[in-house]
Amino acid sequence: MTAPATTPATTGTRPRHLLDFADWTPERLTALLDNADTMNQVLDRPVRKVPALQGLTVCTAFFENSTRTRVSFELAARRMSADVVSFAAGASSLNKGESLGDTVEVLTAYKVDAFVVRHPASGAAHLVARYSGKPVINAGDGRRAHPTQALLDAYTIRQEFGSLSGKTVAIVGDIRHSRVARSNAELLPKLGARVRLCGPATLLPAGLAALPGVTLTTDPREAVRGAHAVMALRLQQERMSGGYLASLAEYADHYQVNGRLLREAEPGAIVLHPGPMNRDLEISSDVADGERSRILRQVEHGQAVRMSVLYHLLVGRE
Ligand code: CP
């Protein structure tokens, strides 16, 4: 089968997909976050359901493990009355040799209206967009992008400080393997924040310094100094084949987000982690559970932000 021609990235001025933030203007991203406020109001009602997506079908296709992203997308779609079909890659005909492109065409033939895709390969969500012709939301592809995670991170920071403008966000940990770091480095400067990426040299790709509003450092104290938000990243040991770190204990000694490191941050600084966490490795348990932590707030906001994204792509009115 030959791949179909690429579908336009935008419909008029409205992006057709959320694969990364390339086609998304600051105004449209702000509208997404504003709309998440409205979705949070829906979630606060006794009956947490609206008919916005009635008659539409959302397919969640996860080719890699997930708790937060999958559950929150499925709940988000159901809260807006969409039908949800959950494609289980591990129990599918992919195991009989069917290609991803053919699989997507089969699902599209069942009149799916949008796809939410997680895949271990960078670029897989773009491939699904080419084959389906339907709106596709990237729920994390390889180490490339995880745009809805960055949106809920931005939403959490914005809710805390009122605005992203002029804020400094330090992201500390395994930058090399992190799609969350890349998406935040793309998104937060578009919304007026500065991003400092920090990790050991082996986990800090120099090329990211070329992004506007982004600086790199191997010194965690320098990264966190004066920061309004400090995000710890998981050490993705499943993506490391060795040689990146001398030892986990040494890593924790230098790079763990803990009370000692947070003394460098702004007095009102908040702590974030996209999850899942390796407690007492990249973040100390007392900080993860402490008063500065907004980690569960991030989880909570995931549902409203994903409702806003689905609504924006499928209904398209702000
Ligand atoms: N942050 C995140 O993507 O978590 P899950 O892998 O649980 O979806």
Side-chain angles (χ1 to χ4, degrees):
M1 184 178 65
T2 51
T6 309
T7 51
T10 57
T11 306
T13 58
R14 184 162 64 94
R16 185 170 171 74
H17 310 288
L18 179 58
L19 303 174
D20 48 41
F21 296 115
D23 302 317
W24 290 75
T25 62
E27 293 73 24
R28 198 156 286 282
L29 291 164
T30 302
L32 266 185
L33 299 185
D34 290 345
N35 204 30
D37 283 338
T38 309
M39 299 307 180
N40 259 328
Q41 288 165 18
V42 171
L43 294 173
D44 281 341
R45 292 179 193 163
V47 178
R48 294 181 284 274
K49 195 140 182 153
V50 289
L53 302 186
Q54 204 160 40
L56 298 176
T57 302
V58 174
C59 176
T60 55
F62 279 59
F63 300 82
E64 196 184 80
N65 296 343
S66 168
T67 298
R68 296 151 194 77
T69 313
R70 182 184 197 126
V71 170
S72 61
F73 259 119
E74 293 185 356
L75 278 173
R78 291 196 172 103
R79 302 279 190 219
M80 293 191 292
S81 305
D83 293 319
V84 176
V85 57
S86 179
F87 171 73
S92 75
S93 291
L94 283 163
N95 291 336
K96 302 178 196 166
E98 190 161 52
S99 71
L100 178 59
D102 284 334
T103 302
V104 171
E105 289 193 335
V106 167
L107 295 169
T108 306
Y110 292 131
K111 312 287 185 211
V112 163
D113 295 292
F115 287 89
V116 178
V117 181
R118 169 168 291 189
H119 200 285
S122 299
H126 287 75
L127 190 85
V128 173
R130 286 180 68 190
Y131 277 95
S132 76
K134 299 292 180 185
V136 174
I137 301 166
N138 184 359
D141 64 330
R143 51 175 93 168
R144 211 188 66 82
H146 193 352
T148 58
Q149 177 67 46
L151 281 166
L152 73 87
D153 296 337
Y155 185 80
T156 304
I157 299 167
R158 190 178 88 153
Q159 204 191 51
E160 193 73 29
F161 299 106
S163 164
L164 271 295
S165 186
K167 300 295 177 295
T168 299
V169 181
I171 304 179
V172 183
D174 179 359
I175 308 293
R176 174 173 295 280
H177 301 103
S178 176
R179 52 198 177 207
V180 176
R182 278 173 186 73
S183 281
N184 270 300
E186 197 186 358
L187 173 67
L188 296 177
K190 281 194 179 206
L191 299 174
R194 289 179 294 271
V195 173
R196 297 181 192 148
L197 301 177
C198 176
T202 49
L203 298 178
L204 192 64
L208 292 173
L211 292 170
V214 176
T215 54
L216 269 52
T217 176
T218 56
D219 179 351
R221 286 164 55 103
E222 183 186 323
V224 168
R225 195 163 297 137
H228 300 87
V230 179
M231 182 186 298
L233 291 180
R234 185 172 70 88
L235 269 185
Q236 299 193 34
Q237 294 175 69
E238 75 277 18
R239 295 190 209 268
M240 297 185 200
S241 51
Y244 288 106
L245 296 171
S247 80
L248 294 181
E250 196 176 322
Y251 174 85
D253 203 33
H254 284 91
Y255 290 98
Q256 184 182 87
V257 173
N258 54 28
R260 181 166 41 106
L261 184 60
L262 286 177
R263 283 205 286 272
E264 302 290 332
E266 276 283 299
I270 59 170
V271 173
L272 306 171
H273 193 306
M277 284 187 284
N278 294 306
R279 280 175 179 269
D280 298 315
L281 179 51
E282 71 262 2
I283 187 167
S284 65
S285 272
D286 62 325
V287 164
D289 301 328
E291 61 179 2
R292 290 178 170 212
S293 174
R294 298 294 179 273
I295 295 170
L296 282 176
R297 196 75 60 76
Q298 287 172 276
V299 173
E300 197 183 314
H301 290 158
Q303 197 177 159
V305 165
R306 288 169 176 134
M307 285 170 78
S308 177
V309 169
L310 285 168
Y311 185 81
H312 203 85
L313 292 178
L314 284 167
V315 182
R317 295 188 301 270
E318 277 115 42

